């Protein structure tokens, strides 16, 4: 991580004095890795009552402090959200001056529009809960759609997993590379990766999602040329793995030499691991934005890169008032 020692020294004492770092139970390892890079203490204030209710008790004075809460709202999604809301509420009632919530993975972000009648915009509802609880700023990582920042009027900075994923992809020195997106929404992102990787092209695999059935999609067609190319499929998340495995199969049928995957959030729900293991995908690179199960970490096809340096820098930049776009947005 390239936070300079002088800059760290200058701000460290003020920073430690004025900040409190908290994490819920959804990805404490990531939170501790961030705290270690910042040379700060990370508090874990959550426990449970016998009936399953969440209990928050923060041992640190927060009066006029800047509180940073790190909590991906990943599985168990609803518990993770509730832990986040209660930590914000505790910090606000304890007179924190600012409450920055760092949500590396934002649960419900795929439900970001009214795609048919009589459905909620769940991502907006969750954002309202976070805002109403008292958060003063939101930081996310590869939020499913950038326009979700408009669901609230508090500042919302979205960072990109490419900051951590690109060095890992580059280190593989893949020749004849084409970057592909498994859906229309990811085309801009794929184009950005292609440019930064100096790839020979971009491809788009269309999919048609059956909105009557959760997590079901079909690859339908593609734009771009992949024959005799090595493809890297980029996506914001891998949930059941269905989207990426189908897209990979389609690309191989169209003459691609190999298919790798880079996805920011590795949810690996259901039998995603088995599906990926039995697929022709060569490698899957994900970040540690959500807590990864031991069997995911041990899997030979899966490479994990950390987003801790990126998020530690984000905390540091908020403290020092430095611009994010200068060195955090790739
Ligand atoms: C969809 O719009 C997302 O970008 C992902 O492609 C999708 O959520 C992945 O889900 P699954 O792995 O279950 O196909």
């Amino acid at each position: 991580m390239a936070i300079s020692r002088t800059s760290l020294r200058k701000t460290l004492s003020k920073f430690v004095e004025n900040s409190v770092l908290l994490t819920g139970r959804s990805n404490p390892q990531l939170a501790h890795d961030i705290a270690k890079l910042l040379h700060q203490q990370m508090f874990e204030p959550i426990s449970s009552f016998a009936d399953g209710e969440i209990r928050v008790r923060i041992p640190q004075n927060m009066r006029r402090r800047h509180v940073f809460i790190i909590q991906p709202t990943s599985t168990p999604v609803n518990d993770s959200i509730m832990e986040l809301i209660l930590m914000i509420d505790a910090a606000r009632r304890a007179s924190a001056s600012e409450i920055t919530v760092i949500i590396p993975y934002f649960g419900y972000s795929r439900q970001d529009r009214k795609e048919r009648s009589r459905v909620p915009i769940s991502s907006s509802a969750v954002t309202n809960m976070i805002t109403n609880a008292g958060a003063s700023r939101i930081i996310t990582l590869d939020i499913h759609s950038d326009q979700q920042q408009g669901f609230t009027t508090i500042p919302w900075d979205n960072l990109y997993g490419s900051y951590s994923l690109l060095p890992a992809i580059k280190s593989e020195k893949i020749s004849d590379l084409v970057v592909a997106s498994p859906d229309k929404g990811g085309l801009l992102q794929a184009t950005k990766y292609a440019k930064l990787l100096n790839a020979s092209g971009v491809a788009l695999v269309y999919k048609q999602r059956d909105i009557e059935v959760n997590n079901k999609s079909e690859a339908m067609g593609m734009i771009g040329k992949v024959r005799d190319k090595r493809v890297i499929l980029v996506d914001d998340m891998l949930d059941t793995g269905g989207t990426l495995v189908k897209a990979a199969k389609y690309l191989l049928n169209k003459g691609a030499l190999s298919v790798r995957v880079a996805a920011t959030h590795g949810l690996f729900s259901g039998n995603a691991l088995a599906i990926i293991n039995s697929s022709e995908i060569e490698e899957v690179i994900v970040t540690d934005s959500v807590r990864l199960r031991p069997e995911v970490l041990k899997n030979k096809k899966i490479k994990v890169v950390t987003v801790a340096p990126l998020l530690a820098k984000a905390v540091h930049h908020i403290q020092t008032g430095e611009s994010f776009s200068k060195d955090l947005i790739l």
Side-chain angles (χ1 to χ4, degrees):
M1 179 171 84
I3 299 174
S4 83
R5 282 193 178 280
T6 335
S7 155
L8 255 181
R9 251 197 308 273
K10 257 206 301 196
T11 53
L12 199 59
S13 55
K14 201 170 154 231
F15 177 66
V16 170
E17 238 171 68
N18 293 334
S19 304
V20 178
L21 304 188
L22 307 176
T23 181
R25 293 181 291 196
S26 83
N27 194 352
Q29 182 61 54
L30 173 64
H32 284 286
D33 291 347
I34 294 169
K36 200 168 167 200
L37 290 168
L38 292 164
H39 308 283
Q40 272 230 253
Q41 188 176 359
M42 177 63 64
F43 293 96
E44 292 188 48
I46 310 271
S47 56
S48 294
F49 288 102
D51 66 350
E53 281 182 6
I54 294 158
R55 179 174 195 236
V56 179
R57 167 85 179 91
I58 302 164
Q60 183 75 356
N61 175 23
M62 290 183 288
R63 190 173 298 279
R64 297 183 61 197
R65 304 286 205 278
H66 189 151
V67 176
F68 291 86
I69 304 175
I70 297 156
Q71 173 84 331
T73 48
S74 48
T75 194
V77 178
N78 299 330
D79 283 354
S80 299
I81 292 171
M82 200 60 197
E83 288 182 4
L84 175 63
I85 299 296
L86 296 182
M87 284 188 284
I88 299 170
D89 189 74
R92 183 172 53 82
R93 290 175 195 278
S95 305
S97 57
E98 280 189 74
I99 304 169
T100 293
V101 294
I102 300 179
I103 312 176
Y105 170 74
F106 195 109
Y108 287 98
S109 65
R110 281 172 288 184
Q111 298 181 53
D112 58 356
R113 64 192 186 284
K114 211 173 152 183
E115 59 184 353
R116 52 191 300 214
S117 304
R118 299 180 298 280
V119 297
I121 302 182
S122 309
S123 163
S124 167
V126 172
T127 305
N128 282 338
M129 285 162 65
I130 292 168
T131 310
N132 294 339
S136 21
R137 180 185 295 101
I138 299 175
I139 309 286
T140 50
L141 181 73
D142 274 324
I143 186 76
H144 186 63
S145 51
D146 283 319
Q147 57 271 30
Q148 289 178 59
Q149 292 164 355
F151 289 162
T152 179
T153 53
I154 62 172
W156 182 332
D157 292 297
N158 183 48
L159 299 168
Y160 297 99
S162 49
Y163 181 95
S164 308
L165 291 165
L166 275 167
I169 303 170
K170 278 185 185 161
S171 73
E172 300 196 354
K173 299 191 180 5
I174 307 163
S175 56
D176 300 313
L177 180 68
V178 164
V179 180
S181 168
D183 67 26
K184 298 187 289 290
L187 188 58
L188 271 181
Q189 181 79 334
T191 309
K192 182 185 84 176
Y193 271 85
K195 197 170 155 215
L196 293 168
L197 289 165
N198 216 5
S200 59
V202 181
L204 166 66
V205 180
Y206 307 133
K207 70 177 176 186
Q208 191 159 295
R209 190 170 285 280
D210 183 347
I211 56 176
E212 298 297 338
V213 189
N214 295 342
N215 289 104
K216 273 265 154 100
S217 62
E218 275 316 314
M220 297 296 289
M222 66 171 283
I223 295 175
K225 293 199 179 101
V226 294
R227 180 160 303 282
D228 298 328
K229 300 289 180 192
R230 294 179 181 84
V231 178
I232 182 131
L233 266 166
V234 294
D235 207 352
D236 59 340
M237 69 182 83
L238 184 160
D239 187 0
T240 63
T243 303
L244 288 162
V245 166
K246 278 178 194 151
K249 198 173 175 144
Y250 193 87
L251 291 162
L252 289 165
N253 282 338
K254 291 288 173 190
L257 295 175
S258 64
V259 178
R260 292 174 174 80
V261 163
T264 304
H265 311 296
L267 307 186
F268 297 102
S269 306
N271 59 347
L273 264 192
I275 291 176
I276 285 160
N277 281 339
S278 58
S279 77
E280 289 157 290
I281 294 175
E282 258 182 28
E283 182 184 39
V284 175
I285 312 176
V286 293
T287 78
D288 56 356
S289 63
V290 303
R291 186 193 352 217
L292 298 164
R293 304 192 304 276
E295 60 269 33
V296 173
L297 293 170
K298 272 190 258 153
N299 193 293
K300 290 203 165 59
K301 266 194 186 181
I302 299 169
K303 185 191 260 182
V304 181
V305 296
T306 182
V307 289
L310 172 65
L311 298 179
K313 273 188 163 192
V315 172
H316 181 262
H317 281 31
I318 290 166
Q319 282 303 124
T320 54
E322 284 171 72
S323 157
F324 273 21
S325 61
K326 192 184 66 169
D327 60 344
L328 297 190
I329 309 279
L330 280 190

